[in-house]
Amino acid sequence: MRYLPLLDAAQQRAFDHPPKWTAAQRKLYCSLPEWAAQVLGSLVTPHSRGGFVLQVSYFQATGRFFSTDRFRAADGAYVQQRYRLGNVEWARYDKATRFHHRQLILQQFGVAPFEQVEAAVRAQVTHFARQQMNTVAVFRSAVDTLRARRWEVPTYAALAGVVTEAFRTVEQQLTTQLAALLTPAVRQQLDALFTTDAEEPAHPHRPYRLTTLKRSLELMRPSAIRANVQDYAVLQPLFTQVYPVVQALDLSEEVVRYYARYVERAQVFQVRQQADKKYLMVLCFVVYQYYQVGDLLTEMLQQAVQTHRNAAQRETQERVYRQQQDTAGQLRELLDGVVRHGTALAQLEDVAFSFARTNAEKVAALLAWLQTPEVTAFGQLRHTAQQLRKTGGGSASGPYYQVVEERSRALQRRLGEILRRVAYEGAADSPLAHALAHYRARDGQLGSHPPTGFLKPAERAALGEAASPVSLYKALLAGHVADHLKAGKLNLLHSLRYRPFDTYLLDGATWERQRDALLQQTNLLELRAAGPWLDALQTKLATAFAGTFDRLAAGTNPGVKTRADGRPRFLTPARPADEEAPPPQPLFPGPGLISLHEVLHTVNQACRFTECLQHWSPRHRPPRPAERVFFAGIMAYGCNLGLTRMAHATKHVAQSTLENTVNWYFSLDNLRRANDAVIALTGKLPVSRLFQRDPGQTHTSSDGQKYYVAVDSIHATHSYKYFGQEKGIVSYGFLDDRHRLFHSVTISASEREAAYLVDGILHNDVVESTIHSTDTHGFTEVNFAVTYLIRVAFAPRIQSFQDQQLYAFAGMDVPDLAAYGLAPVKRLDRALIEAQWDTLVRLVVSLKQKHVTASTVLRRLNSYSQHHPVYLALRELGRAVRTEFLLRYMDDQDLRKRIDDQLDKLESTHSFARAVFYGQNGQIPYAGKEEQQLADACKRLVQNVIVCWNCLYLNQYLLQAPAAERQAVADAIAASSPVSWQHVNLHGEFDFSEDALKDSLRFDVEALFAFDWESPAAPLV
């Protein structure tokens, strides 16, 4: 059988060989349990005794057995010495003895032999293969499952055979099922995607229908929005027909995404030639693209509404200011007229009630007054008052709704088609859902009495006074739709980002059946019941209150001084400067001596990170490009040079080859694995541990870095503080205490970074954070709750933390904080947390299982704000966790210092990133989200490779230092940072040698001067 390429040659060798142990690990794993010591005593020959000890030791570490020729010499020597075996002839440890020992070890450890459970393993791996198409991930999941279920892990060949067979079985099952499910009508619709509109051969100006649907325009131009709406209109009927087929096939989102992205990358002929799978691929593409375009249109709607509102508010302010200048005289005239008229009315009142005049005299006096110039002038004031009212002077909201009305047409041009096409759903009794249904049913025509139940009273009043009620109504409708989508009151059922909250969690029925098993798999068994867990938190909180305020009262907290008003002032010690210390010795080579290509090549030789860049198709793979092509692609994106510029500046790399390699090999998952390979190598180097403050913890941090976007992009937003009048995005990066950048993601500049914090903590399998820090912008009470549930200590740096509200559970004895100038403690609602406990645990397990990303579900949950009970429960739990942290933060100045130090490390990487991402003035040239993220991932890979090279260099520097000087060198390294790039030539180099000029062009300047192109008889030179 030809296996799928699951692991490269080096990984296969590592899998089929015993682990390489340190001295401490060897001592630990070669310690025999009691039963094994008894068996060892019964064995006679040295080879049998030694083989038995090593098999037990290796099995304890890996769950596997190994043949004699793969035993590590260092392990054999250690066992010989420790167990006094004497001279061992390992060759005599034959197959029969190994088999006997294997059976005995499996029985004693309670592990089932692979041959007994092979059928169950095949079923489980087939299930994995139906869930995702990443063959390597399936292989590793299979290994994890075998160990978790106490089943023997077989050789690589045996397990690779099972995985290969599983994928072939799944594809065969899917194509067979699909052939039965596809009706002739659906098949005809899918076949039509492989034709052109003119039913003629395709060319660049007449593409296939499938080609036109591939790339959405991620721009805010009205023409781009119209093009996306047209694509959505084409996809909508197709989706309606094929979605039942996808449901019947029971395809996971991951499988749908895999086949869809394959279609995006492939040429149409490459899809069409796969006769057995082309329908499966295309229907997955239709479903996934329908989701993506719907999400994109929804994002466009929200951004267009926000832009419209911001512009209307600015214009309203400008008009109010101008009106205040222009109408000051009119307003004075109106007020003076009212005062004069009031005086005249008082005089008339005296006349009317005078007993000295007859009725005839009173009427005559009234008629005479009505003919005076003052009355005429007062009548003209009505026109002045109407003008003032028209300009907003008589409205509580000023001219705002008038401006909204005037700007409505521009908004309608962008959003009218979206509201008509995209079926947003709300509660059956929702007035807005009713209004939307009415709008769609009439194809955007409102009729004489459109529904207004969703409008606010002020909006209804403005509608009644509007010059064009239809225009104002449509603008208000779009605004309410955007607000309800953000608040979760409207949803897009067939979507990736805007579905109802519950649909993102593990299936309810599955959760009920497998709750305990899932808790065990995710190592969260302590969350089984709310009562004991909350009791422990309450005890921890009470202890923090007592400890912190006892030390404040006793004056024994060295990090606190008392202000003049009696409030405590918390101090964070600065690092003391050693004025007598000699200047640090340079640890790295001179500036620009090492080329970036050399750095990439050297690190790749050590960890083979380019082998993580695998072809998108797990089966039909062409010959692999040369490593230099991968390096060129990484530098093109990571240094922001662009593929075209990189190809033109590079010898031996054709542009077509570079573009094809990036298309098929550069996915976000592949680049994540490449980064993981590099940071794993860095973590294995002993010198990297010198940068850790506490070897028992992994302290991580995250922060955002702003980048201008040089092109129109829906993902780039305004941030006047950082971009002025321009737009940009944020690269939100994660760093550990060894300076390894283990995760990053690009987000809109208007999004809060806190929603993506848990993503970074859970996303990476190499760096397992135990404590995580951010600045003030990175913390929310929800993040405190979620990180505590997944057992990661969240330790942000919070400005004015002593002004934060503190909370305690009911019944807790807390000190009177008024004596310290702090706000009194508020009480927590424990019953609210307990009522939602099962959903909270289900949410956390969904995150740990990577069923959904934290950013997706938390952004959706946060949008519900005050209304969702799960949000309220998380917020209440987060308040308790945040209070406990704040009390420790107040009490422990060393904790504050550690947090500052870790965040300072992350700040230093921002300058590093700017130096690496130097091309095109550091501005992002990509409009699409995927390319923005690819550039960010490649930039992070270049940074990690440079840090890894630096650690390799420092490790060798320390190794080669004289023994007497090593401690001093180690101290110098620990006081420095591997985030150094001055010695790396990031920009390439110019060749000024004579050899470089050998083939240069030569010009006959005199002949060029003499050439007259206007003369028909001019000689050709």
Side-chain angles (χ1 to χ4, degrees):
M1 177 189 294
R2 184 180 177 184
Y3 301 138
L4 292 175
L6 304 174
L7 303 179
D8 59 52
Q11 291 171 325
Q12 290 179 30
R13 286 194 300 272
F15 187 89
D16 278 336
H17 283 76
K20 293 181 179 179
W21 286 330
T22 62
Q25 290 172 327
R26 188 175 295 112
K27 182 177 179 181
L28 172 66
Y29 286 115
C30 291
S31 298
L32 298 179
E34 184 177 350
W35 67 266
Q38 294 176 358
V39 172
L40 181 64
S42 67
L43 299 177
V44 178
T45 60
H47 61 266
S48 179
R49 289 164 58 83
F52 176 76
V53 173
L54 283 180
Q55 293 288 28
V56 172
S57 303
Y58 290 148
F59 189 82
Q60 288 184 126
T62 65
R64 301 197 50 222
F65 299 97
F66 301 95
S67 58
T68 311
D69 60 331
R70 292 180 178 174
F71 288 174
R72 303 276 183 198
D75 300 336
Y78 176 81
V79 167
Q80 285 179 261
Q81 181 181 5
R82 177 169 179 175
Y83 292 97
R84 301 177 181 177
L85 302 180
N87 186 31
V88 177
E89 298 181 46
W90 295 106
R92 296 184 60 190
Y93 186 57
D94 57 21
K95 186 174 181 180
T97 308
R98 292 201 310 270
F99 182 76
H100 173 68
H101 288 174
R102 170 177 170 266
Q103 289 183 310
L104 181 61
I105 293 169
L106 289 172
Q107 181 181 1
Q108 290 295 333
F109 277 109
V111 175
F114 177 73
E115 58 268 17
Q116 289 184 11
V117 297
E118 186 172 358
V121 172
R122 291 182 183 278
Q124 186 64 52
V125 172
T126 302
H127 171 73
F128 289 151
R130 289 191 70 93
Q131 298 304 307
Q132 64 169 319
M133 296 303 295
N134 186 329
T135 55
V136 177
V138 170
F139 179 85
R140 300 198 185 282
S141 296
V143 174
D144 293 341
T145 300
L146 287 165
R147 301 205 63 179
R149 297 192 177 184
R150 303 191 69 78
W151 293 346
E152 181 189 4
V153 180
T155 62
Y156 169 78
L159 196 53
V162 171
V163 172
T164 300
E165 184 179 339
F167 273 95
R168 290 173 178 168
T169 300
V170 166
E171 287 192 347
Q172 185 177 0
Q173 289 174 349
L174 289 176
T175 51
T176 302
Q177 288 178 270
L178 188 59
L181 290 169
L182 280 181
T183 63
V186 174
R187 196 182 298 268
Q188 184 178 3
Q189 290 285 336
L190 296 179
D191 283 333
L193 295 176
F194 295 100
T195 62
T196 63
D197 290 333
E199 300 296 336
E200 296 177 7
H203 62 68
H205 299 293
R206 187 172 55 240
Y208 291 107
R209 291 186 173 95
L210 183 60
T211 303
T212 62
L213 295 175
K214 280 188 181 184
R215 297 294 179 187
S216 305
L217 298 176
E218 299 173 58
L219 315 172
M220 280 303 295
R221 298 172 191 163
S223 59
I225 296 175
R226 285 195 299 272
N228 290 331
V229 171
Q230 290 170 2
D231 287 350
Y232 196 76
V234 173
L235 288 165
Q236 206 163 34
L238 276 172
F239 174 83
T240 304
Q241 292 186 12
V242 304
Y243 186 63
V245 178
V246 173
Q247 287 183 304
L249 292 173
D250 193 26
L251 298 178
S252 69
E253 278 190 14
E254 178 63 29
V255 171
V256 171
R257 174 182 173 275
Y258 167 78
Y259 283 122
R261 301 305 298 276
Y262 178 87
V263 172
E264 282 183 8
R265 283 168 162 76
Q267 299 291 327
V268 172
F269 78 88
Q270 291 175 306
V271 179
R272 188 168 51 187
Q273 71 185 7
Q274 301 195 43
D276 56 337
K277 290 193 300 184
K278 72 173 183 179
Y279 292 119
L280 176 63
M281 291 178 174
V282 173
L283 67 88
C284 287
F285 168 79
V286 168
V287 169
Y288 191 76
Q289 192 70 357
Y290 183 71
Y291 287 172
Q292 282 200 308
V293 177
D295 285 351
L296 181 60
L297 292 175
T298 302
E299 189 175 349
M300 288 175 164
L301 184 150
Q302 291 182 317
Q303 195 172 128
V305 166
Q306 190 59 50
T307 301
H308 170 81
R309 282 176 174 167
N310 293 342
Q313 288 169 355
R314 285 196 302 270
E315 187 170 341
T316 299
Q317 292 172 349
E318 291 170 1
R319 285 193 186 185
V320 168
Y321 177 77
R322 289 198 303 268
Q323 288 164 7
Q324 287 175 345
Q325 306 300 315
D326 297 342
T327 62
Q330 290 179 317
L331 190 59
R332 281 196 302 271
E333 179 186 348
L334 181 64
L335 294 174
D336 292 344
V338 170
V339 171
R340 289 195 302 271
H341 194 63
T343 303
L345 288 176
Q347 294 172 352
L348 285 176
E349 187 178 355
D350 291 340
V351 170
F353 291 103
S354 172
F355 292 103
R357 298 191 184 197
T358 64
N359 287 339
E361 290 174 335
K362 293 178 180 179
V363 171
L366 175 62
L367 291 174
W369 177 77
L370 289 174
Q371 294 175 2
T372 60
E374 288 80 2
V375 173
T376 303
F378 185 78
Q380 293 174 348
L381 290 179
R382 177 184 298 177
H383 176 68
T384 303
Q386 287 175 338
Q387 283 186 317
L388 286 171
R389 185 170 186 178
K390 183 177 181 181
T391 56
S395 170
S397 59
Y400 175 73
Y401 289 112
Q402 181 184 349
V403 175
V404 170
E405 175 189 335
E406 292 170 359
R407 288 180 163 275
S408 175
R409 290 192 178 277
L411 187 65
Q412 290 176 49
R413 283 197 296 272
R414 292 187 171 193
L415 304 186
E417 284 292 327
I418 296 178
L419 293 176
R420 288 197 291 272
R421 285 286 181 186
V422 185
Y424 300 116
E425 299 178 359
D429 58 349
S430 166
L432 181 61
H434 175 60
L436 262 180
H438 176 269
Y439 183 87
R440 283 196 294 265
R442 299 179 64 89
D443 197 27
Q445 303 299 316
L446 300 182
S448 55
H449 299 289
T452 58
F454 66 94
L455 296 176
K456 300 174 183 176
E459 293 171 339
R460 289 197 195 97
L463 198 63
E465 300 172 0
S468 176
V470 171
S471 293
L472 180 58
Y473 181 93
K474 290 183 176 181
L476 295 175
L477 176 66
H480 279 272
V481 169
D483 291 341
H484 279 57
L485 282 165
K486 186 176 180 181
K489 297 177 183 177
L490 283 180
N491 298 294
L492 185 56
L493 186 59
H494 300 298
S495 164
L496 299 174
R497 297 182 57 189
Y498 298 98
R499 301 201 308 262
F501 168 74
D502 289 345
T503 63
Y504 290 105
L505 305 185
L506 288 166
D507 175 67
T510 303
W511 173 247
E512 288 297 325
R513 286 195 316 270
Q514 303 178 16
R515 187 178 190 272
D516 287 347
L518 289 168
L519 286 173
Q520 185 171 7
Q521 288 175 21
T522 52
N523 198 23
L524 295 173
L525 280 173
E526 72 275 9
L527 301 182
R528 184 186 287 119
W533 193 88
L534 289 173
D535 288 342
L537 175 59
Q538 184 167 334
T539 301
K540 189 176 181 181
L541 185 55
T543 302
F545 265 112
T548 298
F549 286 100
D550 284 352
R551 279 162 54 86
L552 280 177
T556 56
N557 187 334
V560 176
K561 287 188 177 180
T562 304
R563 302 175 189 267
D565 59 1
R567 299 185 69 200
R569 179 187 177 196
F570 298 91
L571 307 174
T572 301
R575 179 178 297 175
D578 188 354
E579 297 180 357
E580 298 181 358
Q585 180 181 355
L587 297 174
F588 295 107
L593 290 181
I594 311 299
S595 71
L596 180 56
H597 174 230
E598 179 184 339
V599 171
L600 290 165
H601 173 75
T602 301
V603 174
N604 191 53
Q605 291 294 106
C607 67
R608 309 302 306 171
F609 66 84
T610 55
E611 293 183 359
C612 298
L613 305 177
Q614 293 292 329
H615 195 277
W616 189 262
S617 173
R619 294 179 63 178
H620 307 292
R621 298 183 180 179
R624 188 173 176 82
E627 283 184 355
R628 62 177 176 270
V629 183
F630 290 104
F631 293 154
I634 292 167
M635 292 169 65
Y637 273 112
C639 297
N640 202 27
L641 299 172
L643 297 179
T644 301
R645 183 178 172 189
M646 190 71 198
H648 291 169
T650 305
K651 293 181 179 180
H652 313 301
V653 176
Q655 183 171 344
S656 58
T657 303
L658 183 58
E659 290 174 347
N660 187 65
T661 300
V662 167
N663 179 60
W664 284 106
Y665 293 86
F666 279 48
S667 69
L668 290 177
D669 286 341
N670 283 347
L671 288 168
R672 176 184 62 81
R673 285 192 287 272
N675 270 292
D676 286 353
V678 175
I679 64 177
L681 172 59
T682 305
K684 292 176 182 177
L685 296 171
V687 76
S688 70
R689 294 195 290 272
L690 294 174
F691 304 113
Q692 283 187 291
R693 185 185 180 103
D694 183 354
Q697 289 186 330
T698 299
H699 197 157
T700 59
S701 55
S702 57
D703 190 23
Q705 186 171 12
K706 312 296 188 295
Y707 289 92
Y708 287 93
V709 174
V711 296
D712 181 23
S713 170
I714 188 174
H715 309 294
T717 52
H718 290 287
S719 176
Y720 186 79
K721 177 180 177 182
Y722 296 104
F723 307 125
Q725 300 298 324
E726 304 299 324
K727 291 183 177 182
I729 61 172
V730 175
S731 171
Y732 189 45
F734 290 71
L735 181 82
D736 76 346
D737 44 12
R738 302 192 195 188
H739 298 275
R740 299 180 295 177
L741 288 155
F742 62 91
H743 180 66
S744 64
V745 63
T746 60
I747 60 177
S748 164
S750 61
E751 288 188 88
R752 189 170 180 185
E753 297 165 1
Y756 295 84
L757 181 140
V758 180
D759 269 1
I761 294 174
L762 290 178
H763 191 76
N764 188 266
D765 297 323
V766 178
V767 177
E768 294 186 6
S769 176
T770 56
I771 176 172
H772 186 83
S773 296
T774 68
D775 59 13
T776 304
H777 299 291
F779 97 87
T780 63
E781 287 162 338
V782 169
N783 278 344
F784 267 107
V786 175
T787 51
Y788 194 75
L789 287 166
I790 62 175
R791 294 191 300 215
V792 174
F794 185 34
R797 180 173 60 193
I798 303 176
Q799 291 180 349
S800 304
F801 61 88
Q802 63 271 22
D803 296 329
Q804 293 279 323
Q805 178 66 57
L806 301 180
Y807 293 86
F809 289 102
M812 281 179 53
D813 184 19
V814 296
D816 180 13
L817 303 189
Y820 305 97
L822 303 177
V825 173
K826 290 186 177 181
R827 297 296 173 176
L828 294 163
D829 186 353
R830 175 167 170 160
L832 174 61
I833 301 171
E834 291 175 330
Q836 297 298 321
W837 185 254
D838 192 64
T839 306
L840 296 185
V841 177
R842 181 179 162 206
L843 166 63
V844 173
V845 171
S846 299
L847 296 177
K848 291 274 282 186
Q849 290 276 77
K850 298 183 180 178
H851 180 77
V852 62
T853 62
S855 58
T856 300
V857 70
L858 291 182
R859 274 191 298 106
R860 199 67 183 129
L861 183 60
N862 286 339
S863 69
Y864 288 89
S865 190
Q866 307 291 327
H867 305 290
H868 202 287
V870 176
Y871 174 85
L872 296 176
L874 278 173
R875 187 184 66 179
E876 202 73 1
L877 176 58
R879 286 171 173 174
V881 179
R882 177 174 60 85
T883 299
E884 192 274 335
F885 165 73
L886 286 172
L887 292 170
R888 285 190 294 110
Y889 197 64
M890 295 175 186
D891 193 51
D892 188 351
Q893 65 173 343
D894 186 57
L895 172 63
R896 299 196 294 273
K897 184 66 171 65
R898 292 203 309 272
I899 293 170
D900 283 351
D901 288 347
Q902 180 58 27
L903 290 176
D904 287 345
K905 287 183 179 181
L906 188 56
E907 286 292 334
S908 70
T909 64
H910 291 341
S911 299
F912 186 20
R914 284 191 291 271
V916 168
F917 202 68
Y918 65 85
Q920 305 187 60
N921 296 320
Q923 298 184 356
I924 304 279
Y926 311 112
K929 182 77 168 180
E930 182 177 2
E931 276 203 297
Q932 290 172 2
Q933 291 183 326
L934 283 176
D936 187 59
C938 287
K939 169 178 66 66
R940 181 164 65 93
L941 180 57
V942 172
Q943 289 178 266
N944 279 323
V945 166
I946 293 174
V947 169
C948 184
W949 189 94
N950 290 344
C951 286
L952 287 165
Y953 184 86
L954 292 174
N955 222 117
Q956 181 166 295
Y957 188 86
L958 181 59
L959 179 66
Q960 293 176 348
E965 300 176 10
R966 279 183 185 162
Q967 187 57 52
V969 172
D971 293 341
I973 292 173
S976 67
S977 168
V979 179
S980 180
W981 62 94
Q982 288 76 14
H983 55 288
V984 179
N985 187 345
L986 295 167
H987 300 261
E989 58 186 28
F990 295 99
D991 186 357
F992 289 103
S993 67
E994 293 298 325
D995 288 341
L997 302 177
K998 258 192 318 190
D999 298 324
S1000 60
L1001 289 174
R1002 301 287 190 271
F1003 298 99
D1004 187 341
V1005 178
E1006 296 299 328
L1008 293 177
F1009 287 161
F1011 178 60
D1012 183 5
W1013 65 88
E1014 296 178 345
S1015 171
L1020 293 177
V1021 180

